[in-house]
Amino acid sequence: MHSLTYATLFVCGVHTTVDFDWWVRPLLDFDVTVIVAGKCAISTSNYPNVVARRVRRPLDTDRARDRAKFALWTLSYDRVVYYDMSILVRPPDCPCLSQCTAPLCAVRDPESGDPTTDFMVIRPSMNAYVDLATTVSGPESVAVRDVIQWYFGKDWTALPAECNPRFV
């Protein structure tokens, strides 16, 4: 098992190869995993450090594509540092990673107090993946962030706001 990967979700028809290049470029010195949701081609040939993993389930709605984020929990790494494709990536400071001892670490949303899901540090687990994927087999109206917040409950670590580039 590898130690750490930086990861994002690439949604076909929403993101472009320009988005992909913009997101990957700051991480040339790190392992990167891109979860590809939908039917499209992205090339990683210019990026030997990048692995693309395609989600193999129907992705016919926006919510289903969002749920592809759960594939992060299947990755073979000790830790996954996840950024939404819309966030300009910068490797997190060591204190952000060293403070993360729980299965999920994220910055607390300033309004709800729940973990944000646009930047997360997770400990992958097939058990968590199965539980998350099973939880969302119900109504399409259940947001991914709500499922993650419900699943982890109080078993997550709040990171300082400066760990999430959106708040800096």
Side-chain angles (χ1 to χ4, degrees), residues 93-106:
D93 298 329
C94 288
C96 293
L97 290 177
S98 65
Q99 291 177 39
C100 184
T101 57
L104 171 69
C105 300

Side-chain angles (χ1 to χ4, degrees), residues 21-159:
D21 289 336
W22 176 82
W23 191 89
V24 169
R25 203 163 282 125
L27 296 170
L28 294 177
D29 295 331
F30 302 94
D31 285 345
V32 173
T33 304
V34 178
I35 305 294
V36 180
K39 295 180 181 179
C40 64
I42 63 168
S43 174
T44 60
S45 62
N46 291 332
Y47 303 104
N49 62 315
V50 176
V51 173
R53 295 229 3 228
R54 190 164 301 280
V55 175
R56 301 183 190 279
R57 44 182 266 192
L59 300 167
D60 53 353
T61 65
D62 289 343
R63 192 69 73 201
R65 286 187 292 274
D66 288 345
R67 292 174 180 184
K69 191 180 285 188
F70 297 142
L72 296 166
W73 275 268
T74 67
L75 299 178
S76 299
Y77 289 87
D78 295 327
R79 289 285 181 192
V80 174
V81 179
Y82 173 81
Y83 292 91
D84 274 354
M85 181 68 70
S86 61
I87 294 178
L88 179 59
V89 177
R90 62 174 172 75
D93 298 329
C94 288
C96 293
L97 290 177
S98 65
Q99 291 177 39
C100 184
T101 57
L104 171 69
C105 300
V107 172
R108 190 177 300 278
D109 184 281
E111 293 178 15
S112 69
D114 296 335
T116 58
T117 58
D118 57 351
F119 167 78
M120 304 180 286
V121 181
I122 68 166
R123 182 180 302 131
S125 156
M126 283 305 292
N127 289 338
Y129 168 73
V130 169
D131 291 345
L132 289 164
T134 302
T135 300
V136 297
S137 63
E140 286 289 309
S141 61
V142 178
V144 168
R145 71 179 175 279
D146 294 335
V147 173
I148 290 172
Q149 193 278 328
W150 171 84
Y151 179 77
F152 287 98
K154 296 186 185 310
D155 193 18
W156 66 282
T157 298
L159 297 172

